[in-house]
Amino acid sequence: MIELNDVHKSFGKVEVLKGITDSVQKGEVVCIIGPSGSGKSTILRCINGLESYDRGEISVEGLKVDRESPSIVNIRTQVSMVFQRFNLFPHRTVLENVVEGPLYVKKEPRAAAFERGRALLAQVGLAEKADAHPPQLSGGQQQRVAIARALAMQPKAILFDEPTSALDPELVGDVLGVMRKLADDGMTMVVVTHEMGFARDVADRVLFIDGGVIVEQGPAKALLNQPQHPRTQDFLRRVLHPL
Amino acid sequence: MKGFWHDAVEFFPILMNGVALTIVVTIGSLLLSTVLGLVWAMMRVSGIKALSMLSASLINVIRGIPIIVLLFYLYFVMPDLGVTLSALQAAILGLGIAYSAYQAENFRAGIEAIDKGQIEAAQSIGMGWWLTMRRVVLPQAVRIVLPPYGNVMIMMLKDSSQASTITVAELALQGKLIASSTFKNTSVFTLVALMYLTMSIPLILLVRHFEKRAGKR
């Protein structure tokens, strides 16, 4: 469904992606792990055209991702994104955040959009917060609203860019719970994360990225329990046993 | 003091005619400068190099010319080029253009102060440039822009007196005309000053209100 073929990307002189090739199947949950600065987030940002890439090709359901082309809107309405820092619209209510895309991008009828928006808020456990403004919510609540906003576009896949990294530890569970339910419902997900427990339990596949290349990839449990590459072993040792 | 009150009662109605014109010039040029300023600012942040450079040079040219010269140009030179403007039209146009440069820089600062994550979130749900501006950036930028905008309103109210140089009989010119025919300089110009101050005070309070509101979030 999402195809990356030898994708290269530089910021100035620094090459952050050095030939990424992968293929995400429909319904698959893929976690991307790796040290910071390894290019994990850049991969996600290239998939929905928030960032351009220099070489290679990315396509979503056969449609080439080109952020300069009008077709990028097509891709963005099919592939939603959830950000590390939520990026909710602070001047609109929670419900308005959720229906913004359906109303103004997809031009859905108001009543239907609002009804589905409320249903989605109920799904992420925030039905009673519909009329609050995002700054009044906790980080975990905001991120769940952001997930509802992503779902409201009825996307074929959702990209998660370190969705729990900005949260207090005790709020991480709520967000991961919502994500796990999505995965169980068959949503295609690409998740950049440091939550190894989530990756092990929920992901079908894990990619370990370091220095702009996929060092190792494979079924989640196999890769996390018996990493083959020394760099993967070293990374996992340091993440799982920081002391 | 008794003389002042006597003069005040006598000159007040004439000066009120000036006040009316002052308000017309101020509101007219405020609207024009807001619209032009928005256009320049949008061009600046459009991401299209040609538009952005054109707008930057326009702003610099406008900023580099004194208002009074701009007014003279519109009122005395434009007729030579076949465009005759009334004094009032020239005043509104001149002040509007002159202040559009400051408005543009203010609007641009407000737009650029919006977190980049907001724009990315808008893009990620498929919004194009204009929709992102209209639904996400501008509504948030307004809060940031309003306090300095209020200050510009106050400055424009006072600078509308420059229209007197091209014969617009607004408050300052009315005052000058009365003073030179009655020689009651003290009474007249004290009255004129008080009338400007009276008009400024609501605006000053408005700015304070904007500042309080902007500080809330």
Side-chain angles (χ1 to χ4, degrees):
Chain A
M1 180 183 169
I2 301 172
E3 311 284 338
L4 297 107
N5 190 5
D6 194 30
V7 176
H8 289 253
K9 162 80 184 169
S10 300
F11 288 113
K13 281 185 182 157
V14 186
E15 195 175 22
V16 285
L17 300 182
K18 300 174 184 166
I20 300 286
T21 301
D22 194 56
S23 168
V24 178
Q25 305 305 310
K26 191 169 181 308
E28 199 178 20
V29 177
V30 176
C31 279
I32 302 179
I33 62 170
S36 55
S38 58
K40 308 183 297 284
S41 295
T42 308
I43 295 176
L44 288 195
R45 296 165 57 80
C46 285
I47 292 174
N48 75 345
L50 285 181
E51 211 77 73
S52 63
Y53 50 98
D54 306 329
R55 241 170 63 210
E57 183 167 309
I58 304 177
S59 65
V60 173
E61 298 253 76
L63 186 61
K64 182 174 188 269
V65 177
D66 175 3
R67 76 192 299 262
E68 305 300 334
S69 149
S71 67
I72 194 67
V73 172
N74 261 326
I75 286 170
R76 286 172 178 162
T77 50
Q78 293 181 42
V79 182
S80 289
M81 181 133 176
V82 172
F83 298 89
Q84 180 176 359
R85 286 174 49 245
F86 333 131
N87 296 348
L88 294 176
F89 306 130
H91 57 303
R92 307 206 182 280
T93 67
V94 163
L95 183 57
E96 285 168 348
N97 265 275
V98 175
V99 300
E100 184 75 19
L103 278 185
Y104 291 91
V105 177
K106 295 176 96 180
K107 309 254 183 332
E108 290 177 18
R110 281 189 89 78
F114 274 98
E115 193 182 327
R116 213 179 64 244
R118 285 187 191 281
L120 285 170
L121 284 176
Q123 188 184 328
V124 298
L126 291 170
E128 79 285 4
K129 297 288 185 190
D131 299 319
H133 279 267
Q136 300 164 329
L137 304 186
S138 73
Q141 291 172 329
Q142 289 193 49
Q143 194 60 296
R144 284 184 281 154
V145 174
I147 292 173
R149 178 173 70 178
L151 286 170
M153 297 302 287
Q154 299 182 301
K156 293 180 173 151
I158 305 184
L159 312 174
F160 293 84
D161 187 6
E162 303 200 27
T164 57
S165 298
L167 299 180
D168 291 336
E170 78 271 21
L171 302 176
V172 168
D174 292 341
V175 172
L176 291 182
V178 168
M179 290 170 62
R180 176 192 285 262
K181 224 166 27 181
L182 284 182
D184 292 344
D185 292 345
M187 176 60 77
T188 309
M189 295 161 61
V190 183
V191 187
V192 170
T193 189
H194 294 292
E195 297 292 335
M196 295 306 149
F198 177 83
R200 181 181 296 124
D201 296 347
V202 180
D204 298 305
R205 210 149 54 81
V206 170
L207 311 182
F208 172 67
I209 299 208
D210 192 10
V213 295
I214 299 177
V215 174
E216 186 172 352
Q217 68 99 16
K221 287 190 180 66
L223 187 138
L224 293 170
N225 292 337
Q226 289 108 31
Q228 301 301 309
H229 198 286
R231 259 148 80 194
T232 320
Q233 293 166 356
D234 183 52
F235 173 76
L236 287 173
R237 191 164 51 239
R238 279 186 288 144
V239 170
L240 297 173
H241 310 289
L243 296 180
Chain B
M1 197 61 192
K2 204 173 162 218
F4 175 76
W5 287 115
H6 183 264
D7 292 343
V9 171
E10 189 186 343
F11 301 142
F12 189 77
I14 312 173
L15 287 175
M16 277 311 279
N17 294 334
V19 166
L21 262 180
T22 290
I23 290 172
V24 169
V25 171
T26 304
I27 291 178
S29 50
L30 182 68
L31 291 178
L32 182 63
S33 69
T34 304
V35 172
L36 287 179
L38 259 178
V39 173
W40 307 151
M42 290 305 209
M43 284 165 71
R44 270 313 278 279
V45 301
S46 65
I48 300 166
K49 224 180 185 144
L51 283 183
S52 153
M53 275 168 60
L54 176 65
S55 153
S57 353
L58 264 171
I59 289 171
N60 281 331
V61 168
I62 296 170
R63 267 202 299 214
I65 301 174
I67 295 176
I68 201 166
V69 176
L70 204 58
L71 292 176
F72 287 166
Y73 212 89
L74 286 170
Y75 191 57
F76 298 121
V77 180
M78 290 307 270
D80 292 348
L81 305 174
V83 183
T84 309
L85 299 167
S86 75
L88 183 61
Q89 287 168 340
I92 290 175
L93 200 59
L95 284 161
I97 291 172
Y99 268 94
S100 71
Y102 303 105
Q103 301 277 35
E105 291 297 276
N106 178 23
F107 295 156
R108 182 172 70 102
I111 289 168
E112 287 178 347
I114 302 303
D115 181 22
K116 239 183 97 211
Q118 290 288 308
I119 295 161
E120 290 185 346
Q123 289 179 336
S124 78
I125 55 172
M127 288 189 170
W129 186 84
W130 175 239
L131 201 54
T132 302
M133 275 291 153
R134 188 165 67 82
R135 296 289 306 169
V136 177
V137 176
L138 292 181
Q140 296 186 67
V142 165
R143 281 178 167 278
I144 303 169
V145 161
L146 271 182
Y149 186 80
N151 283 324
V152 168
M153 283 164 74
I154 296 169
M155 280 159 62
M156 290 188 82
L157 171 70
K158 296 184 295 177
D159 272 348
S160 68
S161 59
Q162 301 213 39
S164 63
T165 57
I166 55 168
T167 75
V168 177
E170 43 65 69
L171 183 53
L173 184 55
Q174 285 288 12
K176 195 178 151 214
L177 293 175
I178 299 172
S180 56
S181 61
T182 62
F183 301 108
K184 292 186 170 163
N185 288 310
T186 313
S187 301
V188 172
F189 288 120
T190 306
L191 207 53
V192 167
L194 285 173
M195 288 169 103
Y196 273 114
L197 191 60
T198 310
M199 287 189 280
S200 299
I201 284 170
L203 295 179
I204 292 168
L205 294 176
L206 193 65
V207 171
R208 209 158 68 178
H209 171 72
F210 287 154
E211 279 169 349
K212 262 194 208 142
R213 233 183 45 166
K216 256 185 198 155
R217 280 223 182 141

